[in-house]
Amino acid sequence: MTDDRHIPQEELVLHAMQALSGEESAAVRLHLAGCAECREQLAEIAGDLALVAMSVEQHAVPEGARQRFVDRITAGLPAQAGPRAEQPARTPVISIAREKQAARSWMWVPWTAVAALLILSTVLGVKIFQMNQHLDSDDALLRQEERLIQRQNGENIRAQALLDVLTAPTAQRVTLTTGKNPPAPSARAVYLASRGALILQASNMQPLPPNKTYELWVIPASGAPIPAGLFRPDASGSGSVVLPSIPAGVQAKAFGITIENEGGSGTPTLPIVLSGAAPTSGE
C-alpha cells in the first residue's frame, strides 16, 4: 500500500475518510508516526474534508421529535403508589437516534466522496497543466526550428542560383568601361538570359550626391531598355547588383549604367556612363 518513502495522496484521502481496512489503516498510522511530511499532507486533506462537511446545509429538528423525547422519558419513570387508573394505549415510541445516525451517515458518504473527487481532480488538473506547459514549450521550439530551416533553405536556393549564373557556360560576361586610362570606372556583368539572372560587379565608380544613384540597364535586341537594379558605390568605388528581377528569356544586345535620381527611373537618363555590348555567343 505504501512505498519506502511516502504514502500516495489517494490512500491518505481514503485513510482520512476511514475507508481503508484495519490492516491498511494500521500500516498508514505506523508510517505517519515517523513521517512528518505525510502527517502534514494528511492534516491538509482532513481540513479540506472538514470544510466540505461544514458546507452541508443545517436542517431543523423534525416536527414531533421533542414530544416523542418527552414521552420516552415519562415512560421510564417508576409507577406511583395507589390505584392505577387505566391509561389509554400509548403509541409505540420510535427512537430517532438511529434515524439521525442513518441520516448523518447518508449525508457524510456523498460529501466525503465529493471531497475526495475534488482533491483528486485538483491533482489531475496540476498534472495536466504541467503536461500542457511542456507541450507548448515543445511546439515553440518546433516552430523556431521550422523558421530556421525555411530561412536556411531560402539562403541555399539563392546561393545555388548565384553559383549557377557564375558557372554557366552560356552566360554572357561583359566588361563595361569608359574608354579612359585606369583607374577609370569599369563593371563586369554575367547574364543568363534563359533564367533572367544577372550579376554586376562595378569598380572605381565615382561618388554620387546623396540624392543620386547608379542604375543598371539591360538593352534587349528589340524593345525598350529594361531597368536591372540600383546601386551606390562604397568608399573604394565598388558596387554590385545581384540577381535583380528581370523577365526570363530576354536576349540582351548590350548593358548600360546611368546616373538617376535616388528612387531610380523607368527610362535611362543620358548620358550613359558605362556600356558594353553582349557577345553573340551567349544565349
Side-chain angles (χ1 to χ4, degrees):
M1 180 184 66
T2 62
D3 56 22
D4 295 337
R5 296 177 297 173
H6 300 294
I7 301 175
Q9 189 175 33
E10 294 81 357
E11 294 190 12
L12 287 176
V13 173
L14 295 176
H15 178 72
M17 295 167 56
Q18 299 181 358
L20 296 177
S21 65
E23 181 181 353
E24 291 175 330
S25 296
V28 171
R29 288 193 298 271
L30 179 62
H31 178 85
L32 291 174
C35 182
E37 183 175 345
C38 288
R39 288 199 301 274
E40 182 179 353
Q41 190 173 10
L42 178 62
E44 294 178 358
I45 293 173
D48 292 338
L49 293 175
L51 289 176
V52 174
M54 291 175 62
S55 66
V56 177
E57 183 180 358
Q58 301 295 322
H59 298 278
V61 177
E63 184 178 355
R66 177 179 178 83
Q67 185 59 43
R68 289 196 298 271
F69 179 71
V70 172
D71 291 343
R72 187 173 184 183
I73 294 176
T74 303
L77 293 176
Q80 297 182 357
R84 259 187 217 178
E86 290 189 8
Q87 297 181 359
R90 185 176 289 118
T91 304
V93 177
I94 300 175
S95 174
I96 66 171
R98 181 173 301 175
E99 294 179 356
K100 293 178 64 178
Q101 180 65 26
R104 187 179 300 110
S105 300
W106 178 85
M107 294 167 58
W108 173 251
V109 170
W111 279 111
T112 52
V114 170
L117 288 176
L118 288 175
I119 295 173
L120 293 176
S121 298
T122 302
V123 174
L124 291 176
V126 172
K127 291 182 179 179
I128 293 174
F129 175 77
Q130 292 175 346
M131 292 177 63
N132 288 335
Q133 290 291 97
H134 289 306
L135 289 176
D136 291 341
S137 177
D138 293 340
D139 289 342
L141 291 176
L142 182 59
R143 288 193 295 270
Q144 182 178 3
E145 291 178 356
E146 289 177 349
R147 287 193 296 268
L148 291 175
I149 292 174
Q150 291 176 355
R151 180 166 42 179
Q152 186 62 44
N153 288 339
E155 294 176 354
N156 291 342
I157 293 173
R158 182 174 177 83
Q160 184 62 47
L162 181 63
L163 182 62
D164 291 344
V165 174
L166 292 175
T167 58
T170 57
Q172 295 172 306
R173 293 166 175 81
V174 182
T175 300
L176 289 72
T177 64
T178 60
K180 297 182 180 180
N181 294 328
S186 64
R188 181 176 178 83
V190 180
Y191 178 58
L192 190 58
S194 61
R195 297 189 182 183
L198 174 63
I199 300 171
L200 174 85
Q201 181 62 47
S203 58
N204 300 321
M205 302 297 293
Q206 297 296 322
L208 295 174
N211 62 339
K212 295 292 183 179
T213 185
Y214 287 111
E215 186 164 7
L216 175 64
W217 301 89
V218 176
I219 303 173
S222 61
I226 300 173
L230 308 175
F231 70 94
R232 289 180 58 85
D234 57 18
S236 65
S238 298
S240 62
V241 175
V242 179
L243 300 178
S245 179
I246 301 174
V250 176
Q251 299 296 326
K253 180 175 66 176
F255 298 88
I257 297 176
T258 61
I259 299 176
E260 307 292 347
N261 290 328
E262 185 176 7
S265 174
T267 57
T269 300
L270 298 178
I272 297 177
V273 296
L274 291 178
S275 62
T280 56
S281 59
E283 285 186 62

